[in-house]
Amino acid sequence: MLSPWHHGPFEEVRKVVARSIDNLLFYNTDSPLSVPMEVSVVLVGLDGDGAYRVDLEAEQVQYLVHHGFSYHRPACWETKREMLVQHELSYNVVKASEENVVSLEKALRSNLRAAPGLAAAGSNTTGERGEGGEGAGEHEGQPHKAIAIFLLNLDKTRMDPSRPAPSGPLTSALSEEQLEAQEGGYSYAYSYNGAGHAQTWLSHGRYVVIDLSAGPITFGHLDEAEGAVVPGTIPRVRSMFLTDEPTLSSSSSAAATAHLPARPQSKDYFSGALADVVSSAVEHLFSPDVRFLNVDVSHRVLVAVIVLSNHRLFNPLAPGHAHSVNLHHLEAQITGMLAPGQEVVLVSGWHSLHDHERLAMAVEKAIRHQSVVLTHADGSTSHGTRSFLDAPYLLHQFHESADMLASALLEAAHPALSASLFLEDPSAAVDAADEAASDEEEDSVVRTSPPPSSKAPPRRTILPVKRSWDAHVGLKERTKSKERRAVDAELAREHGTRVLPVFVLSLAGIEGQLTMADEGGQGAGQQVYAAPDAVLVLQTAENSTIRTRFVSAGQPVFSSPQHLQRPLTAGIAAALGGLVAPYEDLKVHRQRCMRRDWVWAVGHHPFGPVSNTSSLSALLQDTIRMNAVYSRIDITLRSLHRCIQAIEDFSNTYLFAALGNEVHHPTHSDAHHNSTIGAKAVLKALESLYSDPSRSSLPIPHSVVDRLTHSLKEAEDHLQKLSSHLYEHELADAHHLSRSLLHFTHGFHHYVEEELSHAHEAMRCCRIEHRFPSRTAGALLYGSILLAGFAVYFLVIFFSASEH
């Protein structure tokens, strides 16, 4: 249906990228780096061959989407601000052929099965659309395919399994009776791996499906005011043909049209609503936020899965039972989150909370209780309490405890190396890592002691397993290009091991249905909590199911707190890769509040209450690698902005007049004449000083100015090339170039600080005075000539009058 790679060359968007780089480096420090992104929107059954024989113009849809959502800046949850990266979005709207429509309808017809309780009444069916948990490396080495959004408008009468297979042309006109019967007397929804009921779902590849014929669906959280999925969330084609009095006899069809307006909507209104859904998909799935700034300079990642249990009902790390953790599958998923050249070491251990009284006390102190309104099956309500673990407080108590198991691992997770990693000057960690590597040739691994009791389960259940990112890359990807080899030659091999402790709390004997929550009790009902340096996962051993605060199709949603595979993958992906759940985003301009849109809760991802997949899709793996690149870009640009601001402050002090006019030679008329200037104007002012013969001493040597100009030009070229790699989806090249740019910026920052410090020291013996310019003989001559000219002008005007 789509070519493997279809968008135009980077030369078509080079001017836009160059303009943004020039603005962010030389004029406006708030301007982000533009990264072009093209999204394919495939219209299936919207060419007069689907339900209601609707024919939408691809040009109109493309116009509405492009003008409604042409750019997007991801936000960083850790810093609560927008990143200095902006996606310049372009859309390629195409229509699928009739053969594609027929094949999709046949696929859905063969996968429809009865699912009672989906709607209020009628014959309800569910389309089972689940791609299983393949390993992370299966997407590597394959040619990148375009990211796409499929908009389906399929004919439900042709998909009905109870009717004979259709025949004849798809574009045949419909009579009034056929038009009213297009709902088919039934409704259907998608279930991914047996979980959820939805009209939209994220695939295991790089595309998302929006089915306009499915549903209507209702899903949401009882404690949240926004983000719920209602029948009007996804526009329905029926709304363009609805009359004032619905004549459908089926009760399910009546329920499907109960939310529709009293009068038919126009095609323009429907196209606008469709464009809004496409914009939401792009914002949440293709241009998502970044949870944590990930600037990892280590060459090894040590993930320590530590199970803290207060029971001996079962050992989650022991294989062979229903609650076992598949560590080999988890290790394969972690491998897909690594940067090129990194390797993972996965260790695990089982420990009893009774042997660690400090940790047991921390768990008890972290339990909170909250008053809630409970909704029963009959619709009645009552007041009750809900228990949850305050995850940030518990993690803080683990860090401050005197227990070596938790505090030592947390200290190893963020020492001075990790503190510099996640702050705004992370490249300094390379120096610390190099010093540590020179003192010790081999990294040490903390080993657990054997259990004191023979009855206790073994504390070490799996040997360390190493696997590098390059092991999953094909021969073509492993062959480095000349450019990447040149970048590798410039950078020394980075050392060190990043430690990520994953604490699994397996608890029994807890009253009520215990869950986990983040700061202030927000997000209560979770099973996992991720921080930049640790992950907490909760397992309740005695509760096979827990009733959540979610409602789907009028029925409560239940979760399985005994299963750990999915929350482990979600927590490690959030901590290591900065991954955000597809249904979450941060609204920086709305008091920095987090917003959830549950329409994207179903699909191939391990997040949320209706997910049943313990692996990451190809799109999410790409997002993790792009998050690392975007983090380096954000830190690099902010460091460059600080350098430029320091140069500008120095120039405002020593190079500009009291009224803000630039001090420059008269021949340099192209320089800027305002006090609020960028780096390019500052460098022009510096250059102009050397063209002024009256100045014998200069605050900054000429060689320094040349180097500053050359460095900024080099950074401009690197940023343009980096944007090209991201546009062409060359993520490995983008990773190496962003790392090189981060090292370059770190050196440039130190060089600017040192030279400005020397310049300030040289100017300490001087003082700044602002005086009127001296009156020279040349100035008096020019002034007298000007006055004589004015006198001659007025005399000519006076004697040219008629009365004179």
Side-chain angles (χ1 to χ4, degrees), residues 2-3 5-10 12-13 35-41 62 66 70 87-94 144-149 206 282 286 619 726-729:
L2 285 177
S3 60
W5 194 242
H6 69 286
H7 70 197
F10 183 72
E12 298 180 0
V13 293
V35 177
M37 175 183 292
E38 182 167 340
V39 180
S40 295
V41 180
Q62 183 173 0
H66 178 73
S70 58
H87 287 132
E88 299 292 338
L89 300 168
S90 60
Y91 301 90
N92 179 33
V93 182
V94 295
H144 174 71
K145 297 182 180 179
I147 54 177
I149 300 175
R206 296 178 175 90
V282 174
F286 301 142
L619 181 64
L726 292 172
Y727 179 70
E728 299 292 346
H729 209 84

Side-chain angles (χ1 to χ4, degrees), residues 763-778:
M763 299 296 291
R764 288 181 62 183
C765 61
C766 307
R767 62 177 182 176
I768 303 174
E769 291 184 358
H770 300 283
R771 296 178 299 177
F772 288 103
S774 58
R775 299 179 180 179
T776 61

Side-chain angles (χ1 to χ4, degrees), residues 449-467:
S449 58
S453 175
S454 59
K455 296 182 181 180
R459 301 191 180 187
R460 178 63 58 87
T461 62
I462 187 171
L463 295 176
V465 180
K466 292 184 179 181
R467 184 175 298 179

Side-chain angles (χ1 to χ4, degrees), residues 702-764:
H702 194 279
S703 59
V704 176
V705 178
D706 288 340
R707 182 170 177 179
L708 291 176
T709 306
H710 176 74
S711 298
L712 288 177
K713 178 61 179 176
E714 187 177 354
E716 184 178 6
D717 296 338
H718 280 330
L719 289 172
Q720 191 170 6
K721 191 177 298 182
L722 183 57
S723 181
S724 173
H725 288 322
L726 292 172
Y727 179 70
E728 299 292 346
H729 209 84
E730 299 169 349
L731 298 183
D733 292 328
H735 163 77
H736 287 276
L737 186 57
S738 63
R739 188 178 62 178
S740 174
L741 185 60
L742 187 63
H743 284 233
F744 164 79
T745 308
H746 179 61
F748 178 72
H749 182 75
H750 283 287
Y751 177 76
V752 170
E753 286 184 343
E754 183 179 357
E755 293 298 333
L756 290 181
S757 176
H758 292 166
H760 281 291
E761 287 293 330
M763 299 296 291
R764 288 181 62 183

Side-chain angles (χ1 to χ4, degrees), residues 123 211 219 223 254 257 276 316 356 425 460 519 589 641 681 737:
S123 175
D211 195 337
F219 177 78
D223 300 330
T257 59
D276 183 66
H356 302 271
D425 192 13
R460 178 63 58 87
E519 292 86 349
H589 301 292
H641 291 165
L737 186 57

